[in-house]
Amino acid sequence: MATRFTKSMARNIFFGGSLFFFLLFLALTFDTNQKLPKRDNSQNLTASAIHGKKLWETNNCIGCHTLLGEGAYFAPELGNVYKRRGPDFIKAWIKSQPTGAPGRRQMPQFNFTEQELDDLVEFLKYTSEINTNNWPPNIEG
């Protein structure tokens, strides 16, 4: 059995497999670069949404929440929170934190201004309109 599988055959399988997967990688990269601009919702990116993203990052919201499946799982996914709850609920929720409910994890109070809350909501609206190919699979994340 060992005499039938030679070093030359192993080398050919290695190089052939490497070439196959390298070409597959290039094809998938090309495909992604073709489709991504149509799905990323960048045409709706406003100055308010950009400022909201900056607030999201500087306050480390992703340290607790997930956004489009990325981040911590300590708090709910917010990729579609705009569609689930709407802008008024989001602002009221952020303003009311921490609620003081016993036994529940609490979000800190960030003391955002009305403009900052509007910017955060605009950022969450922007992310909710990204074509995620139906991710998350259900509306509650």
Side-chain angles (χ1 to χ4, degrees):
M1 180 91 177
T3 58
R4 299 183 72 179
F5 191 73
T6 64
K7 287 183 179 180
S8 153
M9 293 170 70
R11 184 185 64 233
N12 289 340
I13 289 172
F14 171 77
F15 286 121
S18 296
L19 179 63
F20 171 77
F21 284 107
F22 180 72
L23 292 174
L24 181 64
F25 173 75
L26 287 178
L28 291 173
T29 301
F30 179 77
D31 183 60
T32 298
N33 283 329
Q34 293 296 311
K35 290 183 178 176
L36 198 56
K38 298 171 190 161
R39 297 177 55 180
D40 67 359
N41 194 26
S42 60
Q43 70 277 6
N44 293 330
L45 200 52
T46 63
S48 180
I50 291 169
H51 186 247
K53 183 178 188 291
K54 184 176 180 182
L55 290 170
W56 171 270
E57 292 172 345
T58 56
N59 289 288
N60 193 27
C61 299
I62 204 143
C64 295
H65 292 276
T66 54
L67 187 64
L68 305 177
E70 208 169 300
Y73 291 94
F74 187 70
E77 159 72 36
L78 297 181
N80 62 2
V81 71
Y82 187 85
K83 291 178 182 173
R84 283 185 288 154
R85 305 288 187 242
D88 295 334
F89 178 89
I90 295 169
K91 286 186 210 175
W93 180 261
I94 293 171
K95 284 180 188 176
S96 69
Q97 298 301 315
T99 61
R104 298 207 51 178
R105 294 178 277 192
Q106 301 290 303
M107 187 170 133
Q109 177 53 255
F110 291 104
N111 297 313
F112 291 125
T113 65
E114 280 298 317
Q115 182 60 50
E116 289 172 331
L117 285 171
D118 290 341
D119 293 344
L120 266 172
V121 167
E122 187 67 23
F123 172 64
L124 293 172
K125 178 180 185 262
Y126 162 77
T127 58
S128 72
E129 293 172 347
I130 294 173
N131 180 356
T132 59
N133 208 14
N134 296 325
W135 179 263
N138 63 54
I139 193 69
E140 291 299 324

